[in-house]
Amino acid sequence: MSREAEVRYHADQEIAKSFPELLDKAREAERTLRELRAADADEAELRAAGLAFDRALTEALRAAEAGQRATFGVKAYDDRIARRKAKATPEGAMWTAEVNRLRTLREENRLWGIPHVPSRVPAAR
């Protein structure tokens, strides 16, 4: 294993520690977005909430990806066969499923959850 792989492994371990906290933030942002939709909020508020949910999902996704890589082990950073084998373990499969779930949620939010508010065009003089 290379020194770079070991450094990246330890960095990913540190990032992965924050995953539960970041996932809770994403859930809270989603709850806020759903409450605003139910309250028939205006488009600007919905857009702000949708963007906040997107940012929270992105942070949680990055932590989940770090957790996935750290679970695969140091050897998997340099060896694609080791990475492939690690995905087949129960813990590796769990992290892979979580990463895929978060990616799907983020894409769905980007497609349908963030309303596009037209920008204001200055009036012609």
Side-chain angles (χ1 to χ4, degrees), residues 13-28 56 59-61 63-64 67 95 98 101-102:
Q13 282 183 320
E14 287 301 312
I15 293 168
K17 288 179 184 177
S18 64
F19 176 70
E21 173 188 315
L22 293 171
L23 189 59
D24 287 342
K25 286 171 86 174
R27 286 181 178 142
E28 183 61 36
E59 289 174 8
L61 178 59
W95 275 109
E98 185 66 17
R101 184 183 74 81
L102 289 172

Side-chain angles (χ1 to χ4, degrees), residues 42-48 51 114-120:
D42 67 345
E43 298 243 338
E45 281 182 299
L46 286 174
R47 179 170 174 76
L51 290 172
I114 304 172
H116 297 284
V117 178
S119 58
R120 296 183 179 227

Side-chain angles (χ1 to χ4, degrees), residues 69-124:
R69 288 188 302 267
T71 299
F72 292 171
V74 178
K75 191 175 177 184
Y77 285 85
D78 293 332
D79 184 8
R80 69 180 181 84
I81 302 298
R83 192 167 39 251
R84 188 100 170 133
K85 285 181 178 180
K87 276 188 180 183
T89 65
E91 196 172 351
M94 186 268 311
W95 275 109
T96 301
E98 185 66 17
V99 166
N100 289 337
R101 184 183 74 81
L102 289 172
R103 279 188 186 140
T104 301
L105 270 174
R106 187 178 67 172
E107 286 303 312
E108 183 180 312
N109 182 56
R110 286 182 176 178
L111 287 172
W112 311 111
I114 304 172
H116 297 284
V117 178
S119 58
R120 296 183 179 227
V121 178

